[in-house]
Amino acid sequence: MTAVPTAPRQHEYPMPPGITALLALRDVLMGSSLAAFIVLFLVLAIMLPVETGVFDGAEWLDIDAVDRRSRAAMVSPLVVGFGGLSVMFVVRALHGRFERKHLLRIFAEAAQPELLVPIRRQRASLSRESSTGLAVLGFFGVVVGPIVAISVFAGSVRDFWYPLPIGVLMTVVGVLFLRSQLNAAPLSHQMQHDLDRAWGKQAVENLRRLAEEQELELPSVDDEYPRGRRVWRAVGSVGMAAGSFLLGAWGIGATIIAPIVQPCQDCDPLDFSGDLENLGMMLGLILTLLGIAAVLGAVLTLVGGVGIAMATWQEERTLRRIIAQGREGQVRPSAQELEVHAGDRPMLLQTGQVVLGLGVLISTLGFAVRFDTVEMALVEEPPLWWLNTLLVGIVIMLAGAAVIAVARFVFAVRANTIRHAWPLPEPDDDDEDDGGHGA
């Protein structure tokens, strides 16, 4: 168990396994949804030149196959993206509810709670907004759930059975959410006052002021870091910047050029024959280059992520060595470095989400080969490698989810060591006020 510091510091209070599992599940759903939308973005980068007729007449390319596979590749990212996002909001609300109850129990039993101020995410769980989220989701489930359930009897969806159990589940969850809100007992006036005094806005402001004083008085820790850390940091910064630029260039360029080539979805591509032939060739070339830029941007972003991960690993080793030597009162990391190493999103968590995203990309490829969007059915004779690709993608996704779980179950105690050594100058939070810890 981590020793209690003698002066106020930020602290992530360990939660029971069930609550931590909800937090890890929230991160998995969030990472899966984000990765699915990125995959959808890349699929559109490949589809756009084909859909706009750039490759019409090219004998070396099976345009019909590319069109079918691209459309099929959009199915799973759409389902995972929007489905995962919807479930994530429910899981997030549940986690906030349970975490709040546990934090209030810890506060009531602590002898000096003001010495260990919860990190920003845990303070947010204590706010009114955390409780309001459950009420909103409950109301949504009670209203929309029955509509979804009875839609199974409508003529347009009569051949599909799945709206009935989905609607019933939405209704039951909505009723449970509303019931939990109605049964929630408000905090006593004394409890509310003590909570605001120990963990409220003033406590966070005191920590921020202490952090600013340390930044002025203590020398930087930069000279303690290995030399290779600067190289990795530069690789990470350049890779992320270049990748973001190329992805942004594709988005802007495709948005401008695509409507020129094909004004609407049901319209035929414009005829660039005759005097407009050179213009058509130029626009097609630009769209192709933009598609290549999108793929290259994704690769550079991945390389940048690796560089940042290596630099962060070297920094953390150095900080832990300084703490082990008892020299935390002689040097101080920058605010940005403390946010990386003692914030709520550890590098291991971000690594897990990157691995998760890679699994989403690979499994999407296998699904695209197996599913026919024209017939809306499974392909009868798909290539033999589709199953291996799909299974590899699923295994990588599970590995990413496991890394995220390890980050959430292990990182809290590890990061508290750094949090207790140096106070974090957390930014102002508009949601945190002296009366923000409502029922």
Side-chain angles (χ1 to χ4, degrees):
M1 184 176 179
T2 305
V4 177
T6 56
R9 292 290 190 270
Q10 285 93 338
H11 183 78
E12 180 172 359
Y13 286 92
M15 292 288 123
I19 300 178
T20 306
L22 282 175
L23 179 61
L25 179 58
R26 186 204 71 174
D27 293 327
V28 168
L29 291 170
M30 186 182 300
S32 299
S33 301
L34 178 61
F37 289 128
I38 293 176
V39 170
L40 186 63
F41 179 87
L42 294 175
V43 172
L44 289 174
I46 297 172
M47 280 185 64
L48 199 56
V50 176
E51 290 292 315
T52 52
V54 171
F55 295 108
D56 286 353
E59 298 181 356
W60 54 272
L61 182 65
D62 188 346
I63 294 181
D64 181 64
V66 172
D67 181 66
R68 284 179 177 235
R69 297 293 176 255
S70 299
R71 292 178 184 274
M74 293 176 64
V75 175
S76 57
L78 284 171
V79 173
V80 172
F82 288 104
L85 205 60
S86 302
V87 178
M88 188 272 292
F89 282 118
V90 176
V91 173
R92 179 183 178 185
L94 284 173
H95 170 262
R97 174 73 174 182
F98 294 136
E99 186 172 57
R100 178 178 184 273
K101 292 178 63 177
H102 194 73
L103 285 172
L104 291 175
R105 186 180 304 116
I106 290 174
F107 181 82
E109 297 173 354
Q112 292 180 297
E114 66 276 3
L115 292 180
L116 297 177
V117 180
I119 61 174
R120 194 177 188 187
R121 172 179 54 77
Q122 292 188 331
R123 295 198 307 274
S125 296
L126 292 168
S127 67
R128 290 192 183 98
E129 286 74 11
S130 174
S131 301
T132 304
L134 275 181
V136 172
L137 288 172
F139 179 78
F140 179 81
V142 169
V143 172
V144 178
I147 298 175
V148 174
I150 64 176
S151 68
V152 74
F153 303 107
S156 58
V157 293
R158 191 169 295 166
D159 296 332
F160 300 95
W161 59 269
Y162 51 81
L164 181 60
I166 293 177
V168 171
L169 179 62
M170 290 177 63
T171 305
V172 171
V173 172
V175 170
L176 292 176
F177 281 7
L178 287 178
R179 181 174 176 271
S180 68
Q181 285 301 102
L182 294 174
N183 293 339
L187 298 178
S188 66
H189 179 74
Q190 184 61 44
M191 179 71 164
Q192 182 72 64
H193 177 269
D194 293 342
L195 192 65
D196 292 335
R197 179 182 58 82
W199 292 352
K201 183 177 181 180
Q202 188 58 49
V204 177
E205 180 61 31
N206 292 339
L207 285 170
R208 185 184 301 113
R209 185 165 54 249
L210 179 59
E212 291 172 352
E213 292 174 357
Q214 280 194 359
E215 287 182 352
L216 293 175
E217 297 173 358
L218 298 179
S220 172
V221 75
D222 281 350
D223 293 339
E224 305 271 353
Y225 292 136
R227 295 180 180 178
R229 169 251 185 187
R230 293 182 181 273
V231 176
W232 284 115
R233 184 65 68 184
V235 170
S237 301
V238 173
M240 295 295 289
S244 301
F245 174 78
L246 290 175
L247 291 172
W250 175 86
I252 296 173
T255 302
I256 296 174
I257 297 176
I260 299 176
V261 178
Q262 187 171 4
C264 65
Q265 183 175 356
D266 298 327
C267 302
D268 294 328
L270 295 182
D271 185 7
F272 288 98
S273 58
D275 296 337
L276 298 177
E277 182 177 358
N278 291 334
L279 176 61
M281 293 179 60
M282 183 182 68
L283 292 176
L285 178 61
I286 292 175
L287 282 174
T288 303
L289 292 176
L290 287 174
I292 296 173
V295 176
L296 181 60
V299 173
L300 287 175
T301 302
L302 180 61
V303 172
V306 172
I308 292 176
M310 291 298 298
T312 302
W313 176 68
Q314 291 183 343
E315 289 172 358
E316 182 171 347
R317 287 187 60 191
T318 302
L319 296 181
R320 294 192 178 280
R321 174 172 53 81
I322 292 173
I323 295 172
Q325 295 171 351
R327 297 192 295 116
E328 61 268 23
Q330 301 175 12
V331 292
R332 177 178 169 84
S334 67
Q336 294 80 7
E337 290 164 355
L338 283 175
E339 181 62 32
V340 170
H341 298 287
D344 186 47
R345 294 187 55 78
M347 183 54 62
L348 185 61
L349 172 65
Q350 298 180 43
T351 302
Q353 290 183 323
V354 171
V355 174
L356 189 70
L358 181 62
V360 171
L361 174 62
I362 295 176
S363 59
T364 297
L365 177 62
F367 183 83
V369 177
R370 187 70 176 92
F371 194 76
D372 191 326
T373 53
V374 176
E375 300 293 338
M376 294 303 293
L378 296 178
V379 177
E380 294 183 0
E381 296 182 2
L384 295 177
W385 53 266
W386 79 269
L387 181 59
N388 293 334
T389 304
L390 185 62
L391 291 177
V392 168
I394 292 174
V395 169
I396 293 177
M397 289 175 63
L398 292 175
V403 172
I404 291 173
V406 170
R408 282 305 186 191
F409 277 92
V410 175
F411 183 77
V413 176
R414 286 177 56 86
N416 280 338
T417 303
I418 297 178
R419 295 184 184 112
H420 295 177
W422 298 286
L424 277 69
E426 292 187 343
D428 290 323
D429 190 346
D430 294 334
D431 291 335
E432 288 182 315
D433 52 34
D434 291 336
H437 301 118

